[in-house]
PDB file of all heavy atoms in Angstrom:
ATOM      1  N   ASP A1181      38.046   1.790  20.138  1.00  0.00           N
ATOM      2  CA  ASP A1181      36.628   1.493  20.460  1.00  0.00           C
ATOM      3  C   ASP A1181      35.734   1.897  19.310  1.00  0.00           C
ATOM      4  O   ASP A1181      34.798   1.220  18.943  1.00  0.00           O
ATOM      5  CB  ASP A1181      36.213   2.240  21.767  1.00  0.00           C
ATOM      6  CG  ASP A1181      36.875   1.618  22.963  1.00  0.00           C
ATOM      7  OD1 ASP A1181      37.374   0.476  22.903  1.00  0.00           O
ATOM      8  OD2 ASP A1181      36.837   2.277  24.052  1.00  0.00           O
ATOM      9  N   TYR A1182      36.039   3.047  18.717  1.00  0.00           N
ATOM     10  CA  TYR A1182      35.222   3.583  17.607  1.00  0.00           C
ATOM     11  C   TYR A1182      35.367   2.680  16.411  1.00  0.00           C
ATOM     12  O   TYR A1182      34.358   2.296  15.773  1.00  0.00           O
ATOM     13  CB  TYR A1182      35.664   5.011  17.248  1.00  0.00           C
ATOM     14  CG  TYR A1182      35.043   5.545  16.000  1.00  0.00           C
ATOM     15  CD1 TYR A1182      33.744   6.064  16.007  1.00  0.00           C
ATOM     16  CD2 TYR A1182      35.731   5.542  14.793  1.00  0.00           C
ATOM     17  CE1 TYR A1182      33.153   6.512  14.838  1.00  0.00           C
ATOM     18  CE2 TYR A1182      35.170   6.014  13.615  1.00  0.00           C
ATOM     19  CZ  TYR A1182      33.863   6.536  13.645  1.00  0.00           C
ATOM     20  OH  TYR A1182      33.297   7.016  12.501  1.00  0.00           O
ATOM     21  N   LEU A1183      36.639   2.256  16.118  1.00  0.00           N
ATOM     22  CA  LEU A1183      36.858   1.390  14.979  1.00  0.00           C
ATOM     23  C   LEU A1183      36.193   0.032  15.168  1.00  0.00           C
ATOM     24  O   LEU A1183      35.587  -0.496  14.237  1.00  0.00           O
ATOM     25  CB  LEU A1183      38.333   1.212  14.747  1.00  0.00           C
ATOM     26  CG  LEU A1183      39.139   2.454  14.192  1.00  0.00           C
ATOM     27  CD1 LEU A1183      40.573   2.154  14.163  1.00  0.00           C
ATOM     28  CD2 LEU A1183      38.613   2.786  12.826  1.00  0.00           C
ATOM     29  N   ASN A1184      36.250  -0.505  16.381  1.00  0.00           N
ATOM     30  CA  ASN A1184      35.626  -1.788  16.650  1.00  0.00           C
ATOM     31  C   ASN A1184      34.146  -1.689  16.523  1.00  0.00           C
ATOM     32  O   ASN A1184      33.488  -2.665  15.981  1.00  0.00           O
ATOM     33  CB  ASN A1184      35.991  -2.278  18.052  1.00  0.00           C
ATOM     34  CG  ASN A1184      37.432  -2.711  18.174  1.00  0.00           C
ATOM     35  OD1 ASN A1184      38.072  -3.088  17.188  1.00  0.00           O
ATOM     36  ND2 ASN A1184      37.999  -2.595  19.382  1.00  0.00           N
ATOM     37  N   ALA A1185      33.556  -0.621  16.949  1.00  0.00           N
ATOM     38  CA  ALA A1185      32.116  -0.412  16.811  1.00  0.00           C
ATOM     39  C   ALA A1185      31.736  -0.363  15.363  1.00  0.00           C
ATOM     40  O   ALA A1185      30.654  -0.880  14.901  1.00  0.00           O
ATOM     41  CB  ALA A1185      31.670   0.856  17.566  1.00  0.00           C
ATOM     42  N   ARG A1186      32.519   0.360  14.547  1.00  0.00           N
ATOM     43  CA  ARG A1186      32.258   0.471  13.118  1.00  0.00           C
ATOM     44  C   ARG A1186      32.352  -0.836  12.423  1.00  0.00           C
ATOM     45  O   ARG A1186      31.499  -1.178  11.580  1.00  0.00           O
ATOM     46  CB  ARG A1186      33.241   1.483  12.514  1.00  0.00           C
ATOM     47  CG  ARG A1186      33.082   2.938  12.935  1.00  0.00           C
ATOM     48  CD  ARG A1186      31.853   3.535  12.333  1.00  0.00           C
ATOM     49  NE  ARG A1186      31.870   3.618  10.891  1.00  0.00           N
ATOM     50  CZ  ARG A1186      30.909   4.050  10.085  1.00  0.00           C
ATOM     51  NH1 ARG A1186      29.730   4.388  10.674  1.00  0.00           N
ATOM     52  NH2 ARG A1186      31.063   4.124   8.814  1.00  0.00           N
ATOM     53  N   VAL A1187      33.386  -1.639  12.790  1.00  0.00           N
ATOM     54  CA  VAL A1187      33.558  -2.949  12.190  1.00  0.00           C
ATOM     55  C   VAL A1187      32.365  -3.863  12.523  1.00  0.00           C
ATOM     56  O   VAL A1187      31.846  -4.546  11.652  1.00  0.00           O
ATOM     57  CB  VAL A1187      34.905  -3.625  12.689  1.00  0.00           C
ATOM     58  CG1 VAL A1187      34.948  -5.099  12.268  1.00  0.00           C
ATOM     59  CG2 VAL A1187      36.054  -2.875  12.087  1.00  0.00           C
ATOM     60  N   GLU A1188      31.925  -3.846  13.782  1.00  0.00           N
ATOM     61  CA  GLU A1188      30.765  -4.658  14.217  1.00  0.00           C
ATOM     62  C   GLU A1188      29.530  -4.277  13.470  1.00  0.00           C
ATOM     63  O   GLU A1188      28.771  -5.100  12.990  1.00  0.00           O
ATOM     64  CB  GLU A1188      30.593  -4.523  15.724  1.00  0.00           C
ATOM     65  CG  GLU A1188      29.458  -5.420  16.241  1.00  0.00           C
ATOM     66  CD  GLU A1188      29.348  -5.320  17.734  1.00  0.00           C
ATOM     67  OE1 GLU A1188      30.139  -4.680  18.379  1.00  0.00           O
ATOM     68  OE2 GLU A1188      28.331  -5.843  18.276  1.00  0.00           O
ATOM     69  N   LYS A1189      29.373  -2.932  13.308  1.00  0.00           N
ATOM     70  CA  LYS A1189      28.164  -2.431  12.579  1.00  0.00           C
ATOM     71  C   LYS A1189      28.249  -2.889  11.110  1.00  0.00           C
ATOM     72  O   LYS A1189      27.210  -3.268  10.520  1.00  0.00           O
ATOM     73  CB  LYS A1189      28.089  -0.929  12.672  1.00  0.00           C
ATOM     74  CG  LYS A1189      26.842  -0.349  12.069  1.00  0.00           C
ATOM     75  CD  LYS A1189      26.825   1.170  12.260  1.00  0.00           C
ATOM     76  CE  LYS A1189      25.533   1.776  11.653  1.00  0.00           C
ATOM     77  NZ  LYS A1189      25.484   3.255  11.887  1.00  0.00           N
ATOM     78  N   LEU A1190      29.415  -2.794  10.529  1.00  0.00           N
ATOM     79  CA  LEU A1190      29.595  -3.233   9.126  1.00  0.00           C
ATOM     80  C   LEU A1190      29.330  -4.738   8.968  1.00  0.00           C
ATOM     81  O   LEU A1190      28.691  -5.126   7.995  1.00  0.00           O
ATOM     82  CB  LEU A1190      31.001  -2.907   8.628  1.00  0.00           C
ATOM     83  CG  LEU A1190      31.335  -3.191   7.192  1.00  0.00           C
ATOM     84  CD1 LEU A1190      30.401  -2.458   6.259  1.00  0.00           C
ATOM     85  CD2 LEU A1190      32.764  -2.846   6.853  1.00  0.00           C
ATOM     86  N   GLN A1191      29.816  -5.532   9.905  1.00  0.00           N
ATOM     87  CA  GLN A1191      29.611  -6.974   9.825  1.00  0.00           C
ATOM     88  C   GLN A1191      28.120  -7.266   9.936  1.00  0.00           C
ATOM     89  O   GLN A1191      27.606  -8.125   9.185  1.00  0.00           O
ATOM     90  CB  GLN A1191      30.368  -7.671  10.960  1.00  0.00           C
ATOM     91  CG  GLN A1191      31.892  -7.656  10.788  1.00  0.00           C
ATOM     92  CD  GLN A1191      32.608  -8.237  11.942  1.00  0.00           C
ATOM     93  OE1 GLN A1191      32.093  -8.251  13.072  1.00  0.00           O
ATOM     94  NE2 GLN A1191      33.819  -8.693  11.747  1.00  0.00           N
ATOM     95  N   THR A1192      27.430  -6.621  10.816  1.00  0.00           N
ATOM     96  CA  THR A1192      25.979  -6.819  10.953  1.00  0.00           C
ATOM     97  C   THR A1192      25.215  -6.406   9.692  1.00  0.00           C
ATOM     98  O   THR A1192      24.341  -7.114   9.212  1.00  0.00           O
ATOM     99  CB  THR A1192      25.409  -5.999  12.153  1.00  0.00           C
ATOM    100  OG1 THR A1192      26.085  -6.406  13.350  1.00  0.00           O
ATOM    101  CG2 THR A1192      23.925  -6.209  12.309  1.00  0.00           C
ATOM    102  N   SER A1193      25.682  -5.275   9.105  1.00  0.00           N
ATOM    103  CA  SER A1193      25.058  -4.838   7.839  1.00  0.00           C
ATOM    104  C   SER A1193      25.222  -5.846   6.779  1.00  0.00           C
ATOM    105  O   SER A1193      24.357  -6.100   5.933  1.00  0.00           O
ATOM    106  CB  SER A1193      25.621  -3.467   7.411  1.00  0.00           C
ATOM    107  OG  SER A1193      25.315  -2.502   8.443  1.00  0.00           O
ATOM    108  N   ASN A1194      26.468  -6.419   6.683  1.00  0.00           N
ATOM    109  CA  ASN A1194      26.726  -7.358   5.649  1.00  0.00           C
ATOM    110  C   ASN A1194      25.932  -8.640   5.804  1.00  0.00           C
ATOM    111  O   ASN A1194      25.447  -9.217   4.829  1.00  0.00           O
ATOM    112  CB  ASN A1194      28.255  -7.761   5.623  1.00  0.00           C
ATOM    113  CG  ASN A1194      29.125  -6.630   5.130  1.00  0.00           C
ATOM    114  OD1 ASN A1194      28.641  -5.756   4.432  1.00  0.00           O
ATOM    115  ND2 ASN A1194      30.409  -6.593   5.484  1.00  0.00           N
ATOM    116  N   LEU A1195      25.760  -9.075   7.086  1.00  0.00           N
ATOM    117  CA  LEU A1195      24.888 -10.248   7.340  1.00  0.00           C
ATOM    118  C   LEU A1195      23.467  -9.997   6.968  1.00  0.00           C
ATOM    119  O   LEU A1195      22.815 -10.877   6.432  1.00  0.00           O
ATOM    120  CB  LEU A1195      25.021 -10.637   8.820  1.00  0.00           C
ATOM    121  CG  LEU A1195      26.384 -11.260   9.260  1.00  0.00           C
ATOM    122  CD1 LEU A1195      26.445 -11.373  10.761  1.00  0.00           C
ATOM    123  CD2 LEU A1195      26.573 -12.644   8.612  1.00  0.00           C
ATOM    124  N   LEU A1196      22.983  -8.824   7.277  1.00  0.00           N
ATOM    125  CA  LEU A1196      21.621  -8.462   6.934  1.00  0.00           C
ATOM    126  C   LEU A1196      21.442  -8.423   5.426  1.00  0.00           C
ATOM    127  O   LEU A1196      20.439  -8.908   4.872  1.00  0.00           O
ATOM    128  CB  LEU A1196      21.253  -7.100   7.548  1.00  0.00           C
ATOM    129  CG  LEU A1196      20.929  -7.123   9.048  1.00  0.00           C
ATOM    130  CD1 LEU A1196      20.831  -5.687   9.546  1.00  0.00           C
ATOM    131  CD2 LEU A1196      19.684  -7.861   9.342  1.00  0.00           C
ATOM    132  N   LEU A1197      22.453  -7.817   4.755  1.00  0.00           N
ATOM    133  CA  LEU A1197      22.369  -7.766   3.289  1.00  0.00           C
ATOM    134  C   LEU A1197      22.386  -9.141   2.664  1.00  0.00           C
ATOM    135  O   LEU A1197      21.598  -9.426   1.744  1.00  0.00           O
ATOM    136  CB  LEU A1197      23.562  -6.920   2.731  1.00  0.00           C
ATOM    137  CG  LEU A1197      23.653  -6.773   1.226  1.00  0.00           C
ATOM    138  CD1 LEU A1197      22.456  -6.086   0.689  1.00  0.00           C
ATOM    139  CD2 LEU A1197      24.916  -6.058   0.852  1.00  0.00           C
ATOM    140  N   GLU A1198      23.180 -10.029   3.240  1.00  0.00           N
ATOM    141  CA  GLU A1198      23.263 -11.426   2.736  1.00  0.00           C
ATOM    142  C   GLU A1198      21.897 -12.091   2.894  1.00  0.00           C
ATOM    143  O   GLU A1198      21.420 -12.771   1.993  1.00  0.00           O
ATOM    144  CB  GLU A1198      24.375 -12.190   3.516  1.00  0.00           C
ATOM    145  CG  GLU A1198      24.476 -13.637   3.037  1.00  0.00           C
ATOM    146  CD  GLU A1198      25.449 -14.398   3.866  1.00  0.00           C
ATOM    147  OE1 GLU A1198      26.172 -13.791   4.700  1.00  0.00           O
ATOM    148  OE2 GLU A1198      25.491 -15.646   3.716  1.00  0.00           O
ATOM    149  N   GLN A1199      21.301 -11.899   4.082  1.00  0.00           N
ATOM    150  CA  GLN A1199      20.005 -12.544   4.255  1.00  0.00           C
ATOM    151  C   GLN A1199      18.904 -11.933   3.374  1.00  0.00           C
ATOM    152  O   GLN A1199      18.118 -12.658   2.776  1.00  0.00           O
ATOM    153  CB  GLN A1199      19.498 -12.337   5.770  1.00  0.00           C
ATOM    154  CG  GLN A1199      18.112 -12.879   6.017  1.00  0.00           C
ATOM    155  CD  GLN A1199      17.783 -13.137   7.450  1.00  0.00           C
ATOM    156  OE1 GLN A1199      18.641 -13.515   8.188  1.00  0.00           O
ATOM    157  NE2 GLN A1199      16.568 -12.922   7.814  1.00  0.00           N
ATOM    158  N   GLN A1200      18.960 -10.627   3.183  1.00  0.00           N
ATOM    159  CA  GLN A1200      17.962  -9.998   2.284  1.00  0.00           C
ATOM    160  C   GLN A1200      18.142 -10.434   0.828  1.00  0.00           C
ATOM    161  O   GLN A1200      17.141 -10.656   0.156  1.00  0.00           O
ATOM    162  CB  GLN A1200      18.087  -8.454   2.375  1.00  0.00           C
ATOM    163  CG  GLN A1200      17.592  -7.931   3.739  1.00  0.00           C
ATOM    164  CD  GLN A1200      17.826  -6.458   3.907  1.00  0.00           C
ATOM    165  OE1 GLN A1200      18.778  -5.897   3.343  1.00  0.00           O
ATOM    166  NE2 GLN A1200      17.012  -5.767   4.680  1.00  0.00           N
ATOM    167  N   VAL A1201      19.386 -10.607   0.402  1.00  0.00           N
ATOM    168  CA  VAL A1201      19.669 -11.097  -0.947  1.00  0.00           C
ATOM    169  C   VAL A1201      19.134 -12.491  -1.066  1.00  0.00           C
ATOM    170  O   VAL A1201      18.442 -12.834  -2.083  1.00  0.00           O
ATOM    171  CB  VAL A1201      21.173 -11.069  -1.294  1.00  0.00           C
ATOM    172  CG1 VAL A1201      21.480 -11.804  -2.555  1.00  0.00           C
ATOM    173  CG2 VAL A1201      21.603  -9.593  -1.419  1.00  0.00           C
ATOM    174  N   ASN A1202      19.433 -13.349  -0.127  1.00  0.00           N
ATOM    175  CA  ASN A1202      18.992 -14.749  -0.148  1.00  0.00           C
ATOM    176  C   ASN A1202      17.472 -14.854  -0.111  1.00  0.00           C
ATOM    177  O   ASN A1202      16.844 -15.730  -0.718  1.00  0.00           O
ATOM    178  CB  ASN A1202      19.598 -15.570   0.970  1.00  0.00           C
ATOM    179  CG  ASN A1202      21.056 -15.852   0.755  1.00  0.00           C
ATOM    180  OD1 ASN A1202      21.521 -15.939  -0.401  1.00  0.00           O
ATOM    181  ND2 ASN A1202      21.814 -15.940   1.829  1.00  0.00           N
ATOM    182  N   GLU A1203      16.847 -13.949   0.617  1.00  0.00           N
ATOM    183  CA  GLU A1203      15.362 -13.976   0.698  1.00  0.00           C
ATOM    184  C   GLU A1203      14.757 -13.607  -0.640  1.00  0.00           C
ATOM    185  O   GLU A1203      13.628 -14.071  -0.945  1.00  0.00           O
ATOM    186  CB  GLU A1203      14.904 -12.970   1.786  1.00  0.00           C
ATOM    187  CG  GLU A1203      15.152 -13.456   3.194  1.00  0.00           C
ATOM    188  CD  GLU A1203      14.795 -12.365   4.205  1.00  0.00           C
ATOM    189  OE1 GLU A1203      14.660 -11.193   3.839  1.00  0.00           O
ATOM    190  OE2 GLU A1203      14.728 -12.699   5.420  1.00  0.00           O
ATOM    191  N   LEU A1204      15.464 -12.802  -1.412  1.00  0.00           N
ATOM    192  CA  LEU A1204      14.893 -12.347  -2.713  1.00  0.00           C
ATOM    193  C   LEU A1204      15.172 -13.342  -3.831  1.00  0.00           C
ATOM    194  O   LEU A1204      14.618 -13.210  -4.916  1.00  0.00           O
ATOM    195  CB  LEU A1204      15.473 -10.983  -3.101  1.00  0.00           C
ATOM    196  CG  LEU A1204      15.021  -9.824  -2.229  1.00  0.00           C
ATOM    197  CD1 LEU A1204      15.753  -8.573  -2.579  1.00  0.00           C
ATOM    198  CD2 LEU A1204      13.527  -9.594  -2.377  1.00  0.00           C
ATOM    199  N   LYS A1205      15.944 -14.381  -3.591  1.00  0.00           N
ATOM    200  CA  LYS A1205      16.278 -15.341  -4.622  1.00  0.00           C
ATOM    201  C   LYS A1205      15.061 -16.000  -5.214  1.00  0.00           C
ATOM    202  O   LYS A1205      14.968 -16.167  -6.463  1.00  0.00           O
ATOM    203  CB  LYS A1205      17.242 -16.411  -4.093  1.00  0.00           C
ATOM    204  CG  LYS A1205      18.687 -15.890  -3.957  1.00  0.00           C
ATOM    205  CD  LYS A1205      19.582 -16.966  -3.426  1.00  0.00           C
ATOM    206  CE  LYS A1205      21.023 -16.473  -3.311  1.00  0.00           C
ATOM    207  NZ  LYS A1205      21.903 -17.502  -2.741  1.00  0.00           N
ATOM    208  N   PRO A1206      14.061 -16.415  -4.428  1.00  0.00           N
ATOM    209  CA  PRO A1206      12.915 -17.085  -5.016  1.00  0.00           C
ATOM    210  C   PRO A1206      11.845 -16.125  -5.523  1.00  0.00           C
ATOM    211  O   PRO A1206      10.711 -16.425  -5.631  1.00  0.00           O
ATOM    212  CB  PRO A1206      12.337 -17.894  -3.850  1.00  0.00           C
ATOM    213  CG  PRO A1206      12.682 -17.030  -2.644  1.00  0.00           C
ATOM    214  CD  PRO A1206      13.999 -16.477  -2.954  1.00  0.00           C
ATOM    215  N   LYS A1207      12.260 -14.892  -5.923  1.00  0.00           N
ATOM    216  CA  LYS A1207      11.332 -13.856  -6.304  1.00  0.00           C
ATOM    217  C   LYS A1207      10.457 -14.321  -7.475  1.00  0.00           C
ATOM    218  O   LYS A1207       9.242 -14.073  -7.507  1.00  0.00           O
ATOM    219  CB  LYS A1207      12.104 -12.585  -6.739  1.00  0.00           C
ATOM    220  CG  LYS A1207      11.213 -11.435  -7.164  1.00  0.00           C
ATOM    221  CD  LYS A1207      12.081 -10.198  -7.447  1.00  0.00           C
ATOM    222  CE  LYS A1207      11.226  -9.082  -7.909  1.00  0.00           C
ATOM    223  NZ  LYS A1207      11.997  -7.830  -8.180  1.00  0.00           N
ATOM    224  N   ALA A1208      11.044 -14.964  -8.460  1.00  0.00           N
ATOM    225  CA  ALA A1208      10.274 -15.344  -9.643  1.00  0.00           C
ATOM    226  C   ALA A1208       9.085 -16.284  -9.301  1.00  0.00           C
ATOM    227  O   ALA A1208       8.003 -16.228  -9.847  1.00  0.00           O
ATOM    228  CB  ALA A1208      11.172 -16.044 -10.679  1.00  0.00           C
ATOM    229  N   THR A1209       9.306 -17.161  -8.315  1.00  0.00           N
ATOM    230  CA  THR A1209       8.284 -18.133  -7.896  1.00  0.00           C
ATOM    231  C   THR A1209       7.314 -17.576  -6.906  1.00  0.00           C
ATOM    232  O   THR A1209       6.137 -17.843  -6.975  1.00  0.00           O
ATOM    233  CB  THR A1209       8.955 -19.389  -7.275  1.00  0.00           C
ATOM    234  OG1 THR A1209       9.909 -19.883  -8.215  1.00  0.00           O
ATOM    235  CG2 THR A1209       7.978 -20.460  -6.957  1.00  0.00           C
ATOM    236  N   TYR A1210       7.804 -16.749  -5.978  1.00  0.00           N
ATOM    237  CA  TYR A1210       6.944 -16.321  -4.872  1.00  0.00           C
ATOM    238  C   TYR A1210       6.653 -14.803  -4.872  1.00  0.00           C
ATOM    239  O   TYR A1210       6.278 -14.284  -3.829  1.00  0.00           O
ATOM    240  CB  TYR A1210       7.645 -16.696  -3.530  1.00  0.00           C
ATOM    241  CG  TYR A1210       7.814 -18.160  -3.403  1.00  0.00           C
ATOM    242  CD1 TYR A1210       9.115 -18.700  -3.426  1.00  0.00           C
ATOM    243  CD2 TYR A1210       6.747 -19.024  -3.204  1.00  0.00           C
ATOM    244  CE1 TYR A1210       9.317 -20.043  -3.234  1.00  0.00           C
ATOM    245  CE2 TYR A1210       6.974 -20.370  -3.074  1.00  0.00           C
ATOM    246  CZ  TYR A1210       8.245 -20.918  -3.081  1.00  0.00           C
ATOM    247  OH  TYR A1210       8.380 -22.263  -2.973  1.00  0.00           O
ATOM    248  N   TYR A1211       6.879 -14.124  -5.983  1.00  0.00           N
ATOM    249  CA  TYR A1211       6.723 -12.695  -5.944  1.00  0.00           C
ATOM    250  C   TYR A1211       5.311 -12.276  -5.503  1.00  0.00           C
ATOM    251  O   TYR A1211       5.176 -11.472  -4.554  1.00  0.00           O
ATOM    252  CB  TYR A1211       6.967 -12.124  -7.378  1.00  0.00           C
ATOM    253  CG  TYR A1211       6.937 -10.618  -7.378  1.00  0.00           C
ATOM    254  CD1 TYR A1211       8.053  -9.883  -7.074  1.00  0.00           C
ATOM    255  CD2 TYR A1211       5.769  -9.933  -7.732  1.00  0.00           C
ATOM    256  CE1 TYR A1211       8.032  -8.497  -7.056  1.00  0.00           C
ATOM    257  CE2 TYR A1211       5.696  -8.562  -7.718  1.00  0.00           C
ATOM    258  CZ  TYR A1211       6.877  -7.846  -7.416  1.00  0.00           C
ATOM    259  OH  TYR A1211       6.793  -6.464  -7.417  1.00  0.00           O
ATOM    260  N   ASP A1212       4.294 -12.739  -6.095  1.00  0.00           N
ATOM    261  CA  ASP A1212       2.949 -12.373  -5.765  1.00  0.00           C
ATOM    262  C   ASP A1212       2.489 -12.909  -4.389  1.00  0.00           C
ATOM    263  O   ASP A1212       1.889 -12.247  -3.590  1.00  0.00           O
ATOM    264  CB  ASP A1212       1.940 -12.819  -6.823  1.00  0.00           C
ATOM    265  CG  ASP A1212       2.137 -12.037  -8.158  1.00  0.00           C
ATOM    266  OD1 ASP A1212       2.554 -10.873  -8.056  1.00  0.00           O
ATOM    267  OD2 ASP A1212       1.862 -12.626  -9.211  1.00  0.00           O
ATOM    268  N   MET A1213       2.924 -14.169  -4.175  1.00  0.00           N
ATOM    269  CA  MET A1213       2.460 -14.855  -2.937  1.00  0.00           C
ATOM    270  C   MET A1213       3.221 -14.384  -1.705  1.00  0.00           C
ATOM    271  O   MET A1213       2.590 -14.294  -0.618  1.00  0.00           O
ATOM    272  CB  MET A1213       2.678 -16.361  -3.098  1.00  0.00           C
ATOM    273  CG  MET A1213       2.130 -17.186  -1.948  1.00  0.00           C
ATOM    274  SD  MET A1213       2.303 -18.972  -2.212  1.00  0.00           S
ATOM    275  CE  MET A1213       4.097 -19.140  -2.015  1.00  0.00           C
ATOM    276  N   VAL A1214       4.516 -14.091  -1.825  1.00  0.00           N
ATOM    277  CA  VAL A1214       5.310 -13.751  -0.668  1.00  0.00           C
ATOM    278  C   VAL A1214       5.644 -12.295  -0.584  1.00  0.00           C
ATOM    279  O   VAL A1214       5.260 -11.599   0.399  1.00  0.00           O
ATOM    280  CB  VAL A1214       6.592 -14.550  -0.657  1.00  0.00           C
ATOM    281  CG1 VAL A1214       7.490 -14.204   0.527  1.00  0.00           C
ATOM    282  CG2 VAL A1214       6.341 -16.085  -0.648  1.00  0.00           C
ATOM    283  N   LEU A1215       6.291 -11.739  -1.563  1.00  0.00           N
ATOM    284  CA  LEU A1215       6.761 -10.406  -1.521  1.00  0.00           C
ATOM    285  C   LEU A1215       5.579  -9.400  -1.430  1.00  0.00           C
ATOM    286  O   LEU A1215       5.702  -8.347  -0.785  1.00  0.00           O
ATOM    287  CB  LEU A1215       7.653 -10.003  -2.700  1.00  0.00           C
ATOM    288  CG  LEU A1215       8.953 -10.841  -2.790  1.00  0.00           C
ATOM    289  CD1 LEU A1215       9.798 -10.339  -3.972  1.00  0.00           C
ATOM    290  CD2 LEU A1215       9.776 -10.750  -1.475  1.00  0.00           C
TER     291      LEU A1215
END
């Protein structure tokens, strides 16, 4: 149960990291306007 919970937490963290990385891709164009 502990290992499954850790795996699920890690998967969620990876998905969040992926979204955050993808959100930062247009930084050069939208830095002032968005970020």
Side-chain angles (χ1 to χ4, degrees):
D1181 289 343
Y1182 172 78
L1183 289 175
N1184 289 336
R1186 292 288 296 175
V1187 168
E1188 182 177 354
K1189 185 175 181 180
L1190 182 60
Q1191 289 174 338
T1192 300
S1193 297
N1194 288 339
L1195 288 170
L1196 284 170
L1197 179 61
E1198 179 184 352
Q1199 174 161 326
Q1200 289 173 333
V1201 168
N1202 287 330
E1203 287 173 345
L1204 290 174
K1205 284 180 179 178
K1207 180 175 180 180
T1209 306
Y1210 299 111
Y1211 184 85
D1212 291 329
M1213 184 178 70
V1214 178
L1215 298 184

